[in-house]
Amino acid sequence: MATTYRTCPASGLQFEAQAEKLMKWNAVAAVLWLLVGGITAIGVIMTRWPAFKLLPPDQFYLILTAHGIDMLLCWIIFFEMAVLYFASSTLLRCRLATPMLGWVQFWLMVVGSIMTNVAIFQGESSVMFTSYVPMQAAPHFYLGLILFAVGALIGCFIFLGTLAVAKKDKTYTGSIPMVTFGALTATIIAIFTILTGAGILVPTFFWSVGLIKEIDPQLYRMVWWGLGHSSQQINVAAHVSIWYLIPAIVIGAKPLSEKVSRGAFLLYILFLQLASAHHLLSDPGMSAEWKVLNTSYFMYFAVMASMIHGFTVPGAVEAAMRRKGFTNGTFEWLRKAPWGNPAFAGMFISLVSFGFLGGISGVVLGTEQINMLMHNTFYVPGHFHTTVVTGTTLAFMAVTYLLVPTLFKREMIHPKLCQIQPYLFGIAMSITGLVMMGAGTLGVSRRHWDMAFQGAPFTYEWPGAAMLMMGMTGFFGVVTIIGGGLWIYLVVGSLLWGKKLDGGQYVDKPTPIPAATPAASASHHGSDHVAVPGTVVLALTLFVAFVLYYYVNWKYLSEVWLLS
Amino acid sequence: MSSILPPANRLWWKESIDKTEWFWIAIAFVWGMVMFVMMIYWHIYGKQNLSNEAYKTTPEAYAAKAEKFIAENTVRNETGLNGEEIPVVSVPAGGDGYLIARLWNWYPILELQKGKEYKIHLSSMDYNHGFSLQPVNINIQVIPTYEHVVKMTPTSAGTFAIVCNEFCGIGHHSMLGRIYVKE
Amino acid sequence: MAENDDDVPFMQKLLDSYYVLTVIGVLSPTILYTLWGIVDIMNTPLAK
Ligand code: HEM
Ligand SMILES: [Cu+2]
Ligand SMILES: [Cu+2]
């Protein structure tokens, strides 16, 4: 099919017309779902805030189901589709494989997400996004999810197809860029995720229409989490790719070592998805051997990979800043980093919050025995709001500050507000996540309407500290929502009213990526290692926090009743 | 020469890795092994391991066993806040106690003694429920058609609550149970 | 470059072969997590 290409004069990125359109539409759909999810967040937070308890229980559970689905699936996966098109067609400067199928991807996901939302808001499907059987939702709840997943699967295959196109058309030489490799990792995980999801959602759909009599509830949980948790691992691979992308564009950072970073992604491909077992550590039907091997990503190889990325990403920033001449002391590079650039600031907060809060809490929560202290408590949403929100969502927000000018050809409005938005959102959500984890440590349940247990045969009073933390959750949650709302306003406002920018000429042929000159590649034979002492200090700080918090929890565990 | 371009060095796998990177990789690897061994170590020496004893059952079969246990071991009745009569069942030391999770209560009230080991059976009559013992903070998933046998030794005495912490429908928040532990 | 790939190390070739990566990335969790998990569940004895 004939298509055209343009090279953005500001960023040098080359967009193929079909891919460009698909990126735009998917990104816009993502933002709209974030808006819906953000509105549901108001209902959720104002109900969990004990001083307000806004909604009655039926509405709370309905809204919470919508919040989980619209945020975790709709917002994130639509955005990921845009990322996949970008990482394949744009970074490899080639045409998109089967653009028509791209529209099938998009519309299936649109129809699917709307169908599931209709089911939820009709009120017969308040089953939470996990929809554990035998609790049953309306058939179109499952059908919508299936359509959505099929759409996403098509997106994955287009990504792989586009890699093949680039190879065949020789638009690049050698290996694909690091960011594309990270996106490939996300795609591979997504394929497993969606196939597994089909494996459970299709039978569940048939069960909901009465064609299948029964689904084993333990089997459901096991297979469902192959979907539910692996999809979080897609997010990790995607936002780590963005951590590599943003510093590359903003300060010209390059990986410290291609070998190390790609090796770490390979460990993700092999082992990250095993972590689905995190959700079954306190279940009856799984063996201890299965739990230990899977929850540890096969002996913690994927944690090792994350720790490596957590080193090489700031390391790449430090090396780039030092090459620019910020060489004084251990931390001049960090002080003089472009903190006023919202893309960079968002990316760095995402990195730090994901590492220190989401990463550490996730590994602790995923330790077989320690899980019993926190399973299904408020600790769990506390943990994942510091992974999928301050990690993934913030990284996506950050990269959007780059995409609006280059992809949508609009200048961001209110540059001053843009500058503060990542701090507002990132810091407020980090605090929210922390106090949620604090409340969970004190036993507070997740997905629970009433901490006063109205209508129960007994009373139980939560510790005062737990109530305090829930109040703080409410307060900082609201601040986070303001930070998220601000982002939506800035992005939508820029698309509507931002100054139009020159997008470059449309031409018929792609300009391939020039092969590296022998000189450039010579300078890469290991001779130009820049020492990164500041990153070493940061990484060791993370390590010490990790070890301490890990053993503090073993200590807590040793104090509860004896179990065997 | 950057993360968004193909590696400049065609044979990038042959590049040497810097010492600091090796240092960090080694730390990450060793720490991973330590954490892996910790879980196995705790299985052998730790005193808090979730039992793996589980059986496939049916709500009817489980309810029958539980009712028999209640009939044989009830020591008194208690009146709940809604006027319901709830049996308090003393579990024989070293013996089996049955707890039913159902919409929306934990049934019956169990009475235990501090320092004695019990085999507590958990199962659900309908949906998933969450056994969340407070303020001890032990949390176990309760799944219909699975009977989970957990050996427990209370190390503290008093009145404990069982909160349901798996969403189980509109009455989920009112699903509060009780365990007494005598000195 | 494709004409002369003899000097490319095995690991680099592996990391460049996205179809191979896709296959092993899907097989690894399918075997270790899903299939083993199903075996575990099937092996749950019946209650007496
Ligand atoms: C914008 C600010 C946000 C606030 C204040 C917020 C608040 C909350 C709270 C308090 C809960 C726990 C409710 C409960 O268990 O009782 C929750 C659940 C959840 N949130 Fe958020 N959230 C926000 C944004 C997000 C985003 C951006 C995502 C995903 C990308 C997300 C994904 C989820 C999911 C998956 C759940 C679990 C729902 C369930 O338990 O079924 N949230 N949120
Ligand atoms: Cu319940
Ligand atoms: Cu419940």
Side-chain angles (χ1 to χ4, degrees):
Chain A
M1 195 199 297
T3 182
T4 55
Y5 301 83
R6 72 173 172 92
T7 301
C8 166
S11 66
L13 294 169
Q14 178 177 293
F15 292 95
E16 186 250 3
Q18 296 287 340
E20 182 176 3
K21 243 194 218 149
L22 280 163
M23 273 181 247
K24 284 183 180 171
W25 282 76
N26 278 287
V28 168
V31 175
L32 292 178
W33 280 118
L34 183 67
L35 176 63
V36 178
I39 294 169
T40 61
I42 302 174
V44 172
I45 204 76
M46 293 307 285
T47 309
R48 290 294 325 228
W49 192 343
F52 291 93
K53 220 187 197 180
L54 182 69
L55 300 174
D58 55 336
Q59 288 181 23
F60 171 69
Y61 294 128
L62 185 155
I63 285 291
L64 186 55
T65 306
H67 178 71
I69 292 207
D70 294 343
M71 288 298 206
L72 205 61
L73 296 178
C74 304
W75 143 246
I76 297 270
I77 297 186
F78 267 116
F79 201 93
E80 271 158 4
M81 289 296 128
V83 170
L84 291 191
Y85 293 130
F86 179 86
S88 54
S89 164
T90 306
L91 290 185
L92 296 178
R93 299 198 190 173
C94 68
R95 72 182 166 82
L96 196 67
T98 60
M100 282 318 290
L101 276 183
W103 294 105
V104 178
Q105 167 268 314
F106 177 74
W107 287 110
L108 274 178
M109 283 174 61
V110 169
V111 171
S113 51
I114 292 177
M115 188 183 287
T116 298
N117 268 273
V118 167
I120 295 171
F121 283 95
Q122 283 171 337
E124 301 300 315
S125 302
S126 301
V127 294
M128 305 293 136
F129 73 103
T130 44
S131 53
Y132 295 137
V133 303
M135 191 182 272
Q136 198 172 60
H140 50 304
F141 174 88
Y142 308 107
L143 188 61
L145 292 179
I146 293 168
L147 296 180
F148 186 83
V150 172
L153 189 61
I154 293 174
C156 295
F157 287 134
I158 297 174
F159 176 84
L160 292 178
T162 306
L163 295 194
V165 166
K167 196 167 204 172
K168 193 171 119 264
D169 294 356
K170 298 206 172 58
T171 58
Y172 70 99
T173 34
S175 307
I176 55 178
M178 180 71 70
V179 172
T180 310
F181 193 72
L184 171 65
T185 305
T187 304
I188 294 172
I189 298 174
I191 292 174
F192 168 76
T193 303
I194 297 169
L195 292 178
T196 311
I200 197 66
L201 286 174
V202 171
T204 307
F205 169 70
F206 286 130
W207 168 73
S208 73
V209 293
L211 291 174
I212 290 181
K213 224 175 103 243
E214 198 186 320
I215 292 177
D216 184 278
Q218 178 73 76
L219 186 69
Y220 177 94
R221 283 172 59 81
M222 194 273 292
V223 184
W224 192 90
W225 279 111
L227 159 80
H229 199 91
S230 304
S231 74
Q232 305 323 303
Q233 316 299 19
I234 310 173
N235 304 341
V236 172
H239 75 229
V240 171
S241 309
I242 288 177
W243 292 348
Y244 281 104
L245 172 75
I246 291 178
I249 293 180
V250 175
I251 52 173
K254 59 180 190 182
L256 291 179
S257 153
E258 295 280 349
K259 184 171 163 179
V260 170
S261 297
R262 284 174 203 247
F265 275 125
L266 177 64
L267 292 176
Y268 274 1
I269 293 174
L270 288 172
F271 303 119
L272 196 57
Q273 308 151 55
L274 305 183
S276 307
H278 288 176
H279 299 265
L280 290 86
L281 297 176
S282 298
D283 276 25
M286 317 308 297
S287 68
E289 295 79 9
W290 181 90
K291 287 176 180 173
V292 168
L293 199 83
N294 278 287
T295 196
S296 66
Y297 319 79
F298 206 96
M299 321 229 292
Y300 288 107
F301 286 129
V303 172
M304 179 174 146
S306 285
M307 287 173 75
I308 291 174
H309 289 307
F311 182 90
T312 56
V313 170
V317 173
E318 175 168 3
M321 291 298 287
R322 282 182 187 273
R323 260 184 254 116
K324 285 178 192 283
F326 299 102
T327 50
N328 288 330
T330 317
F331 284 120
E332 191 195 16
W333 65 275
L334 192 61
R335 281 197 309 277
K336 301 273 172 70
W339 294 109
N341 180 324
F344 179 84
M347 169 264 153
F348 213 89
I349 299 170
S350 163
L351 170 73
V352 172
S353 184
F354 181 83
F356 277 86
L357 303 178
I360 294 180
S361 68
V363 174
V364 170
L365 187 56
T367 303
E368 194 211 355
Q369 295 94 338
I370 294 177
N371 182 266
M372 270 186 295
L373 295 176
M374 299 131 170
H375 176 68
N376 271 350
T377 67
F378 217 48
Y379 192 95
V380 177
H383 150 71
F384 67 67
H385 282 76
T386 53
T387 56
V388 77
V389 186
T390 60
T392 311
T393 299
L394 184 55
F396 289 180
M397 287 177 167
V399 78
T400 305
Y401 288 110
L402 299 178
L403 289 182
V404 169
T406 185
L407 176 63
F408 290 92
K409 297 176 271 184
R410 296 281 185 158
E411 198 168 274
M412 287 300 300
I413 56 172
H414 302 309
K416 282 268 171 302
L417 283 178
C418 291
Q419 286 190 340
I420 60 168
Q421 187 277 332
Y423 295 92
L424 182 64
F425 184 82
I427 294 173
M429 187 43 105
S430 298
I431 300 175
T432 310
L434 261 180
V435 287
M436 286 170 84
M437 287 189 246
T441 305
L442 295 167
V444 176
S445 320
R446 72 184 286 195
R447 301 174 163 177
H448 200 278
W449 175 69
D450 187 12
M451 291 178 73
F453 305 101
Q454 225 176 83
F458 315 104
T459 54
Y460 174 67
E461 222 166 284
W462 293 104
M467 298 307 282
L468 178 70
M469 303 250 206
M470 292 305 288
M472 290 172 70
T473 300
F475 177 78
F476 287 103
V478 169
V479 179
T480 313
I481 293 172
I482 294 171
L486 178 59
W487 181 81
I488 294 178
Y489 164 71
L490 290 170
V491 170
V492 175
S494 303
L495 298 191
L496 296 176
W497 314 298
K499 202 179 106 203
K500 287 209 175 88
L501 298 171
D502 170 28
Q505 292 296 315
Y506 286 89
V507 294
D508 297 340
K509 281 222 159 48
T511 319
I513 304 169
T517 57
S521 69
S523 78
H524 277 264
H525 280 288
S527 54
D528 70 336
H529 283 309
V530 180
V532 289
T535 301
V536 173
V537 174
L538 289 182
L540 287 176
T541 313
L542 174 85
F543 179 65
V544 171
F546 197 165
V547 174
L548 287 178
Y549 186 64
Y550 180 74
Y551 279 105
V552 162
N553 278 283
W554 280 110
K555 171 98 177 48
Y556 283 155
L557 181 70
S558 72
E559 290 162 357
V560 304
W561 291 9
L562 313 186
L563 298 160
S564 60
Chain B
M1 59 152 295
S2 94
S3 303
I4 54 171
L5 291 175
N9 179 1
R10 190 175 65 90
L11 297 178
W12 47 267
W13 188 265
K14 289 191 176 164
E15 278 171 25
S16 65
I17 298 175
D18 191 54
K19 269 202 293 298
T20 36
E21 271 184 277
W22 272 126
F23 163 73
W24 181 249
I25 294 170
I27 289 187
F29 177 77
V30 171
W31 176 234
M33 291 305 127
V34 169
M35 291 193 297
F36 186 69
V37 170
M38 261 318 282
M39 290 193 286
I40 297 169
Y41 167 86
W42 202 264
H43 268 285
I44 302 170
Y45 299 105
K47 302 241 179 305
Q48 288 84 9
N49 284 291
L50 187 61
S51 142
N52 270 130
E53 190 179 345
Y55 303 95
K56 182 84 183 149
T57 185
T58 61
E60 298 74 34
Y62 184 79
K65 281 201 285 188
E67 289 301 344
K68 181 160 171 287
F69 155 77
I70 294 165
E72 285 168 4
N73 297 288
T74 299
V75 287
R76 61 178 186 277
N77 280 309
E78 236 175 66
T79 312
L81 293 173
N82 306 315
E84 64 273 60
E85 286 282 289
I86 309 163
V88 179
V89 189
S90 171
V91 187
D96 296 68
Y98 290 78
L99 192 61
I100 291 178
R102 63 188 182 200
L103 303 175
W104 284 285
N105 54 55
W106 297 98
Y107 184 82
I109 301 174
L110 298 180
E111 192 166 78
L112 312 175
Q113 234 187 326
K114 186 176 155 184
K116 295 272 172 8
E117 189 181 73
Y118 298 91
K119 284 168 134 181
I120 305 297
H121 297 236
L122 300 168
S123 190
S124 159
M125 298 294 106
D126 31 61
Y127 297 153
N128 274 260
H129 296 279
F131 174 93
S132 177
L133 186 71
Q134 297 300 336
V136 184
N137 212 5
I138 293 173
N139 305 280
I140 302 170
Q141 187 79 21
V142 183
I143 303 182
T145 74
Y146 282 80
E147 177 177 349
H148 196 181
V149 188
V150 183
K151 287 203 199 99
M152 278 187 199
T153 311
T155 54
S156 44
T159 303
F160 297 89
I162 313 170
V163 178
C164 177
N165 72 359
E166 180 58 79
F167 171 66
C168 55
I170 192 76
H172 165 54
H173 63 272
S174 66
M175 186 163 164
L176 194 61
R178 195 159 256 202
I179 291 183
Y180 293 115
V181 180
K182 295 191 298 192
E183 273 298 340
Chain C
M1 300 273 162
E3 310 84 56
N4 175 23
D5 271 355
D6 310 342
D7 52 345
V8 177
F10 169 76
M11 277 309 286
Q12 180 170 335
K13 277 190 182 146
L14 174 71
L15 288 167
D16 283 344
S17 326
Y18 37 92
Y19 287 110
V20 178
L21 292 178
T22 306
V23 170
I24 59 177
V26 172
L27 276 185
S28 157
T30 305
I31 294 168
L32 286 170
Y33 178 85
T34 316
L35 293 181
W36 183 7
I38 290 175
V39 168
D40 264 8
I41 293 173
M42 304 287 260
N43 279 339
T44 310
L46 288 181
K48 289 171 282 277

